[in-house]
Amino acid sequence: MAFISRSKPHQWTKARVFISLSRSSHSALLSSTRLLTSTIEPTENPPQNPETHSPETKERPPLRERFQRGKRQNHEKLEDTICRMMDNREWTTRLQNSIRDLVPEWDHSLVYNVLHGARKLDHALQFFRWSERSGLIRHDRDTHMKMIEMLGQGQKLNHARCILLDMPEKGVPWDEDMFEVLIESYGKAGIVQESVKIFQKMKELGVERTVKSYDTLFKVILRRGRYMMAKRYFNKMVSEGVEPTRHTYNLMLWGFFLCLKLETALRFYDDMISRGIKPDVVTYNTMINGYCRFKKMDEAEKLFVEMKGKNIEPSVVSYTTMIKGYVAVDRVDDGLRIFEEMRSFGIEANATTYSTLLPGLCDAGKMVEAKNVLKNMMAKHIAPNDNSIFLKLLVSQSKAGDMAAATEVLKAMATLNVPAEAGHYGVLIENQCKANAYNRAIKLLDILVEKEIILRHQDTLEMEPSAYNPIIEHLCNNGQTSKAEVLFRQLMKRGVQDQDALNNLICGHAKEGNPDSSYEILKIMSRRGVPREANAYELLIKSYMSKGEPGDAKTALDSMIEDGHVPDSSLFRSVIESLFEDGRVQTASRVMMIMIDKNVGIEENMDLVAKILEALLMRGHVEEALGRIDLLNQNGHTADVDRLLSVLSEKGKTIAALKLLDFGLERDLSLEFSSYDKVLDALLGAGKTLNAYSVLCKIMGKGSVTDWKSCDELIKSLNQEGNTKQADVLSRMIKKGQGSKKDKKEDNVSL
């Protein structure tokens, strides 16, 4: 069934020539009148109107249409003008009036061409209905058919149905072709039951149902797998005296094989032969394809030989079907043989042929043959139907170790105008890295990044982690971390958040002395919830310290601990020493507190701990130092408090020494008597007699006995300062202490 697929030539039934126009006429109207009168052939010497030579007309300049400078007049067809107006404007009364004023004479060819050129289906339907309701034209069979076709393609099937059923009211008779279009449209929309209803309604409406409408119905119902219904309607067709044709049987065979009903298909094939209908190339192709579906290649070969024996020349479809069947049963050699036979007979392979044969060759490991077939495809400039074939070729050639052939696949894609996607480059880059051909991999990477292939949203084949991780690692280990970061930032725009790649970037920037870039990557990972590795943190911290930025190193260390990583003893020591040498004693103290709290490397770093405690006490941060000493005690470690007391006493830090001694007495720390004496001497020397008195009382109150030689001097100072009560108390305590000391000595002698 054939339909008109191009615009009909428009013929004017009557030409109208406008001699003069009023000054108020719109320029668009002038343009349209010029357009409408352009179909009249001008004579070489047109007759002059005597009125135009009157004196009045000479004084009055002629009215001209103005055109934009640099642009020639556009002699647009009337139907094209209407289509453009409908495309650019909403369907309103104003648009209707514009079209009405534009058309001097309505005919069916004009309406048909407007419908054919309309881009908006809704506007086309509005135009169809308006032109008839306004009395401008009465639609004929062709315009009805065109509107039904358009509505069917746009799946506005209710409108198409209404237009079809309303035709007799307009005096337009039905024909079978119109119902066929509607049956097929419902079938394409997947509404098989409506297709059947329309087919049944043809009989009710008195429309003759020939084999054409039956064939259309068979195609619709078999496409949806309704093979039993197809058999029933076939029997009904025969009972009604409608003889099936070869095309009918071809449809039935196709449908039964589609439904995997081999036995039913064979019975219909036998019935076809018994009716004296000779199979054609389509019949044989359908049967061969059906056998291939069931992997019965012996039967398919017999039919293929039979077809050639009956002088029916196999088509490219025949050969391609045989190749597909051989590939499906792993008989690739036979498929290749059929392919060469086809070429020897001068039958050109098509895209489907190559798309069928190449994957089979790759799966069978016949890469040399696949390479030759690809060259043949390039020479004929035939691109395959499925671009995934190129990926299969790339993977297979790379797996075979022929990287040169794999690179040629990429060139073949460019020759065939098939855009290479990130996944194609990824396969090559991955395998070049495996072959230690990093320079070639980097060249491919440069092309990938420069053309921003990764960022093309229409692509579906993305770069795999196994492809970008090796090249990123290599770049980061060889001083090219910036290039690796450009690649990965493009990947991140496609939603990639690879932990290994990001950690490699951190390590690479750190090794190259760019800790700020490393920390930026670290923040990105933190925002996106990507786990960070301890090794990356260690390199970042060491990089900051090598650049003399211990504060940033401490910040990175804090982030490392927040992520659940515990730095080792050497890393703690490095950070603490860097901060201490930079004069940031309190910051170093906080890092030391973390180290003590984590109980990591305390014993081997006690010398550093002592330095920080001494610095804190010397700077007056006594409470902080005492807190660190207490934390050490809680974790089973003891600070050298005697040495600290000695240093503080010698350097005149009496208040710090006093607080430290009080802390030791409160915690019952084991202190030497010499430490007591040094603190007391320092206090007495500084004139802090009451503080010395208080400490001495605490010492003696703890039951400790001291041989401090300056007790008398302290008592004397207390009396001189008017603290006689304290002096008396101290004297009695000393005498009592001496007495108990004497008693102990006598007890020892008697024993």
Side-chain angles (χ1 to χ4, degrees):
M1 181 173 61
F3 301 105
I4 298 174
S5 60
R6 60 186 181 85
S7 300
K8 292 185 177 181
H10 184 74
Q11 296 180 354
W12 297 105
T13 57
K14 187 185 295 184
R16 296 184 180 180
V17 181
F18 295 89
I19 302 300
S20 62
L21 295 170
S22 62
R23 289 182 177 271
S24 62
S25 300
H26 197 276
S27 60
L29 185 58
L30 288 171
S31 177
S32 64
T33 56
R34 184 182 293 270
L35 176 65
L36 297 176
T37 58
S38 62
T39 57
I40 304 174
E41 294 180 82
T43 59
E44 294 183 358
N45 297 313
Q48 296 182 355
N49 190 344
E51 293 180 0
T52 59
H53 294 280
S54 63
E56 295 180 1
T57 56
K58 288 183 180 179
E59 294 176 1
R60 188 175 177 183
L63 184 64
R64 293 185 178 181
E65 182 182 3
R66 295 185 179 180
F67 295 93
Q68 295 182 7
R69 293 184 178 180
K71 293 186 178 180
R72 300 179 62 185
Q73 297 185 29
N74 182 18
H75 297 285
E76 190 177 33
K77 292 183 180 180
L78 183 58
E79 53 265 33
D80 294 338
T81 304
I82 296 174
C83 289
R84 179 169 48 79
M85 293 168 63
M86 290 168 60
D87 291 341
N88 298 330
R89 296 166 61 179
E90 296 295 328
W91 186 262
T92 59
T93 305
R94 185 174 181 180
L95 176 59
Q96 296 171 11
N97 293 334
S98 298
I99 296 173
R100 191 197 304 267
D101 295 339
L102 186 63
V103 180
E105 190 76 24
W106 290 78
D107 60 18
H108 295 105
S109 61
L110 174 66
V111 175
Y112 183 94
N113 291 337
V114 170
L115 294 175
H116 180 77
R119 295 182 182 178
K120 297 180 180 179
L121 181 58
D122 291 336
H123 281 21
L125 181 60
Q126 295 276 13
F127 174 81
F128 178 84
R129 288 175 171 168
W130 165 77
S131 59
E132 189 169 45
R133 289 174 181 172
S134 301
L136 299 175
I137 195 170
R138 292 182 66 84
H139 294 303
D140 62 357
R141 185 262 181 200
D142 291 341
T143 53
H144 277 93
M145 186 68 170
K146 185 63 181 176
M147 195 68 248
I148 292 170
E149 286 179 357
M150 294 175 65
L151 292 170
Q153 292 171 0
Q155 294 193 357
K156 291 184 176 294
L157 302 175
N158 287 336
H159 290 293
R161 185 172 185 161
C162 291
I163 289 174
L164 177 62
L165 298 179
D166 290 344
M167 285 176 59
E169 298 178 4
K170 304 175 185 178
V172 182
W174 287 311
D175 60 33
E176 187 181 17
D177 293 343
M178 295 180 176
F179 284 89
E180 283 184 53
V181 171
L182 196 56
I183 290 169
E184 188 172 3
S185 299
Y186 273 115
K188 288 181 179 179
I191 313 174
V192 180
Q193 62 273 21
E194 290 299 325
S195 296
V196 175
K197 288 180 181 179
I198 293 296
F199 179 78
Q200 293 172 345
K201 200 166 188 66
M202 290 176 67
K203 187 175 182 180
E204 297 176 11
L205 298 175
V207 180
E208 183 183 3
R209 298 185 301 194
T210 67
V211 70
K212 291 195 305 180
S213 54
Y214 271 103
D215 288 349
T216 304
L217 180 65
F218 291 148
K219 186 177 180 180
V220 167
I221 58 182
L222 284 170
R223 187 189 291 127
R224 305 300 294 184
R226 309 283 184 88
Y227 68 95
M228 291 299 295
M229 181 186 291
K231 288 171 63 176
R232 288 198 302 271
Y233 275 98
F234 182 85
N235 295 331
K236 185 176 182 181
M237 178 185 70
V238 174
S239 65
E240 290 178 357
V242 180
E243 288 295 326
T245 64
R246 183 187 295 115
H247 179 63
T248 306
Y249 278 105
N250 289 341
L251 277 173
M252 299 299 287
L253 293 173
W254 164 80
F256 290 137
F257 280 123
L258 188 66
C259 300
L260 301 178
K261 297 299 175 181
L262 177 61
E263 298 299 329
T264 307
L266 294 178
R267 285 199 302 271
F268 267 76
Y269 180 72
D270 293 338
D271 183 61
M272 173 184 174
I273 300 299
S274 65
R275 288 178 179 270
I277 301 174
K278 294 182 179 180
D280 62 356
V281 66
V282 177
T283 311
Y284 278 110
N285 289 344
T286 305
M287 291 297 296
I288 291 171
N289 184 57
Y291 278 126
C292 291
R293 276 176 173 264
F294 288 91
K295 297 185 178 181
K296 294 180 176 291
M297 289 309 299
D298 294 336
E299 288 81 355
E301 286 175 347
K302 290 177 183 178
L303 280 177
F304 191 68
V305 173
E306 178 186 321
M307 176 172 59
K308 290 188 287 186
K310 292 182 178 181
N311 293 325
I312 299 176
E313 183 179 351
S315 65
V316 64
V317 177
S318 309
Y319 281 103
T320 302
T321 305
M322 289 297 295
I323 293 171
K324 182 179 179 181
Y326 283 129
V327 169
V329 296
D330 297 328
R331 292 169 58 181
V332 183
D333 290 330
D334 290 328
L336 195 59
R337 174 179 55 80
I338 288 290
F339 177 74
E340 294 299 333
E341 178 186 319
M342 177 181 67
R343 293 180 61 192
S344 66
F345 287 141
I347 299 175
E348 296 291 339
N350 58 19
T352 306
T353 310
Y354 290 113
S355 302
T356 303
L357 180 59
L358 281 172
L361 293 172
C362 292
D363 291 336
K366 296 182 177 296
M367 301 317 302
V368 176
E369 291 81 357
K371 183 178 179 180
N372 294 331
V373 172
L374 180 63
K375 286 182 179 179
N376 184 265
M377 186 170 65
M378 289 174 60
K380 298 183 181 302
H381 208 275
I382 298 175
N385 297 328
D386 186 4
N387 291 341
S388 64
I389 291 172
F390 291 109
L391 179 63
K392 198 172 191 68
L393 283 167
L394 284 168
V395 172
S396 300
Q397 294 286 14
S398 301
K399 188 177 180 180
D402 192 351
M403 295 308 300
T407 306
E408 287 297 322
V409 174
L410 210 60
K411 294 179 181 178
M413 295 178 67
T415 303
L416 298 174
N417 296 324
V418 177
E421 301 184 16
H424 297 117
Y425 281 94
V427 172
L428 285 176
I429 290 172
E430 177 183 355
N431 287 280
Q432 294 286 14
C433 291
K434 288 180 180 178
N436 291 324
Y438 287 103
N439 291 333
R440 295 177 183 174
I442 291 173
K443 288 180 181 178
L444 290 168
L445 178 65
D446 291 338
I447 298 172
L448 183 69
V449 172
E450 182 181 353
K451 294 183 178 180
E452 295 185 343
I453 296 174
I454 296 173
L455 301 179
R456 292 196 308 222
H457 294 284
Q458 68 272 20
D459 292 351
T460 57
L461 194 60
E462 297 180 354
M463 202 171 180
E464 296 294 331
S466 59
Y468 58 73
N469 274 329
I471 190 64
I472 288 176
E473 184 178 2
H474 173 78
L475 292 171
C476 292
N477 291 335
N478 291 273
Q480 300 185 65
T481 308
S482 298
K483 180 177 289 189
E485 184 176 350
V486 173
L487 166 65
F488 197 74
R489 284 191 178 273
Q490 290 187 2
L491 289 169
M492 284 197 295
K493 291 180 181 179
R494 295 303 302 268
V496 176
Q497 298 183 141
D498 192 273
Q499 176 182 351
D500 295 335
L502 287 165
N503 282 295
N504 280 326
L505 289 175
I506 295 173
C507 296
H509 281 306
K511 290 176 184 176
E512 294 171 21
N514 299 315
D516 291 336
S517 299
S518 293
Y519 195 68
E520 185 65 29
I521 300 294
L522 198 68
K523 290 193 289 185
I524 292 174
M525 295 176 72
S526 178
R527 287 196 301 269
R528 300 192 176 196
V530 181
R532 280 78 69 192
E533 294 179 356
N535 180 51
Y537 277 112
E538 290 176 7
L539 290 172
L540 174 60
I541 292 167
K542 290 177 181 178
S543 180
Y544 271 127
M545 289 190 295
S546 65
K547 292 192 70 175
E549 298 176 358
D552 292 330
K554 191 262 180 186
T555 303
L557 185 74
D558 291 339
S559 300
M560 179 180 182
I561 295 169
E562 287 176 3
D563 282 343
H565 301 296
V566 179
D568 58 16
S569 174
S570 61
L571 191 63
F572 269 122
R573 185 178 185 89
S574 299
V575 175
I576 294 171
E577 282 183 339
S578 298
L579 291 168
F580 186 78
E581 291 171 1
D582 197 46
R584 304 183 183 188
V585 177
Q586 285 186 285
T587 307
S589 169
R590 286 192 284 272
V591 177
M592 182 186 73
M593 180 186 68
I594 297 171
M595 181 183 72
I596 297 170
D597 186 57
K598 299 292 182 182
N599 202 13
V600 177
I602 300 175
E603 289 297 332
E604 52 265 37
N605 293 322
M606 282 303 294
D607 58 332
L608 189 59
V609 172
K611 287 182 182 179
I612 293 173
L613 291 175
E614 180 181 337
L616 288 172
L617 292 167
M618 293 295 295
R619 293 187 175 202
H621 305 299
V622 180
E623 298 300 329
E624 186 174 344
L626 297 179
R628 305 295 180 260
I629 295 171
D630 189 38
L631 186 60
L632 280 169
N633 293 334
Q634 292 175 11
N635 284 276
H637 302 279
T638 304
D640 192 355
V641 179
D642 290 315
R643 191 189 70 82
L644 293 173
L645 289 171
S646 177
V647 171
L648 292 172
S649 299
E650 290 173 1
K651 294 186 177 181
K653 299 295 182 178
T654 54
I655 299 300
L658 176 62
K659 291 182 178 180
L660 180 58
L661 184 58
D662 283 340
F663 175 82
L665 293 172
E666 290 175 1
R667 298 294 192 279
D668 293 326
L669 299 180
S670 178
L671 300 175
E672 296 179 358
F673 288 110
S674 60
S675 299
Y676 297 152
D677 294 345
K678 290 177 182 178
V679 175
L680 291 171
D681 286 337
L683 290 171
L684 185 60
K688 299 177 179 179
T689 54
L690 288 177
N691 290 332
Y693 163 77
S694 175
V695 170
L696 188 57
C697 290
K698 288 180 181 179
I699 294 170
M700 299 179 72
K702 289 285 185 179
S704 301
V705 181
T706 179
D707 291 334
W708 187 41
K709 299 176 181 179
S710 301
C711 287
D712 294 337
E713 187 177 349
L714 176 59
I715 294 171
K716 182 179 178 182
S717 298
L718 288 170
N719 286 321
Q720 289 177 354
E721 292 174 2
N723 298 315
T724 55
K725 183 177 180 180
Q726 287 83 356
D728 292 340
V729 171
L730 183 58
S731 298
R732 287 195 296 271
M733 290 178 67
I734 291 173
K735 290 178 181 179
K736 183 178 179 182
Q738 289 176 349
S740 38
K741 184 177 179 181
K742 184 178 180 180
D743 293 339
K744 287 181 180 180
K745 186 176 180 181
E746 291 176 352
D747 292 338
N748 291 332
V749 170
S750 62
L751 289 171

